[in-house]
Amino acid sequence: PVDFTWSFNGVELLTSSEITFGIDFIQFSSLSTSNAGNYSVTATNTAGSGSGEFSLVIFYAPMYTVNTSFTAVEGNMFRIDLGLDGNPLPVDFTWSFNGVGLLTSSEITFGIDFIEFSSLSSSNAGNYSVTATNTAGSGSGEFSLVVFYAPVYTVNTSFTAVEGSMFRIDLVLGGNPLPVNFTWSFNGVELLMSSEITFGIDFIQFSSLSTSNAGNYSVTATN
């Protein structure tokens, strides 16, 4: 025979830079998943026609689909699901957190295509990655997790100072996002700024202390 045609999934196949063929062979310069399917070749001579058919299955490394960043609130349960493809479907995988291997615990559970936090804390914020492996290779999914948490102040519970002196107290403030709204109170009553007392979200300053300034102070910040 000298006449022949190739078909792919029932459609006549033409040669290209990726696929070449002859009456008794077909060659792929670089296989891709789009080449998987059913092939047939039909040859004809003066006595009639004959065909050869086969299917081509292509193994390919795992591929993850996931957003690159997530934001959640401290104290909540939170789960991230990832899209995963690969042939054969992978079964071996490892998770890491900030570059260190991650283990399951009562707070964090995961599988090949998900991770779940039973109750988020600020310590869970960071960079996560999962790598899956099959016979064709490995593939990874990566994302960052931002955890919002309420403002937290760090300050001594008691201060002593001398009347008539300038005095300032600085507080350490944490929170995500950083808070901008705040109120000060003195002995349970909201405090207003004056020429004698100025303050911000993380400090209070007395220009010249008097005995009337002695008492209990508190500041509340909100995000």
Side-chain angles (χ1 to χ4, degrees):
V2 291
D3 297 324
F4 66 95
T5 56
W6 278 88
S7 66
F8 172 57
N9 291 333
V11 178
E12 184 176 354
L13 191 61
L14 302 178
T15 56
S16 67
S17 58
E18 292 81 29
I19 302 176
T20 55
F21 50 74
I23 198 170
D24 59 355
F25 78 91
I26 187 168
Q27 180 172 300
F28 304 86
S29 60
S30 179
L31 279 172
S32 73
T33 55
S34 63
N35 299 135
N38 298 310
Y39 292 82
S40 67
V41 58
T42 300
T44 304
N45 64 12
T46 55
S49 298
S51 297
E53 300 178 353
F54 62 88
S55 62
L56 176 60
V57 176
I58 297 176
F59 285 173
Y60 53 96
M63 294 182 291
Y64 278 102
T65 304
V66 64
N67 291 340
T68 57
S69 180
F70 295 87
T71 302
V73 177
E74 187 176 40
N76 290 343
M77 188 279 281
F78 190 64
R79 176 182 171 117
I80 297 170
D81 291 288
L82 302 87
L84 173 61
D85 191 16
N87 193 18
L89 284 174
V91 292
D92 298 322
F93 66 95
T94 56
W95 277 90
S96 66
F97 173 56
N98 290 333
V100 179
L102 190 62
L103 301 178
T104 55
S105 66
S106 58
E107 293 80 30
I108 303 176
T109 55
F110 51 73
I112 198 168
D113 60 356
F114 79 91
I115 188 168
E116 183 172 297
F117 305 85
S118 60
S119 180
L120 277 173
S121 74
S122 57
S123 63
N124 298 134
N127 299 310
Y128 292 81
S129 69
V130 56
T131 300
T133 304
N134 65 10
T135 54
S138 300
S140 298
E142 300 177 352
F143 60 87
S144 63
L145 176 60
V146 177
V147 178
F148 285 173
Y149 58 96
V152 180
Y153 277 104
T154 304
V155 63
N156 292 338
T157 57
S158 179
F159 294 87
T160 302
V162 178
E163 185 179 36
S165 62
M166 189 278 283
F167 189 64
R168 176 181 171 119
I169 297 170
D170 290 289
L171 302 87
V172 177
L173 173 60
N176 190 18
L178 285 174
V180 291
N181 299 316
F182 66 96
T183 55
W184 277 90
S185 65
F186 173 56
N187 290 333
V189 178
E190 184 175 353
L191 188 63
L192 301 178
M193 284 199 292
S194 66
S195 57
E196 292 80 29
I197 302 175
T198 56
F199 50 74
I201 198 169
D202 59 356
F203 78 92
I204 187 167
Q205 182 170 302
F206 305 86
S207 61
S208 179
L209 279 172
S210 71
T211 55
S212 63
N213 300 136
N216 298 310
Y217 292 82
S218 69
V219 57
T220 302
T222 304
N223 64 5

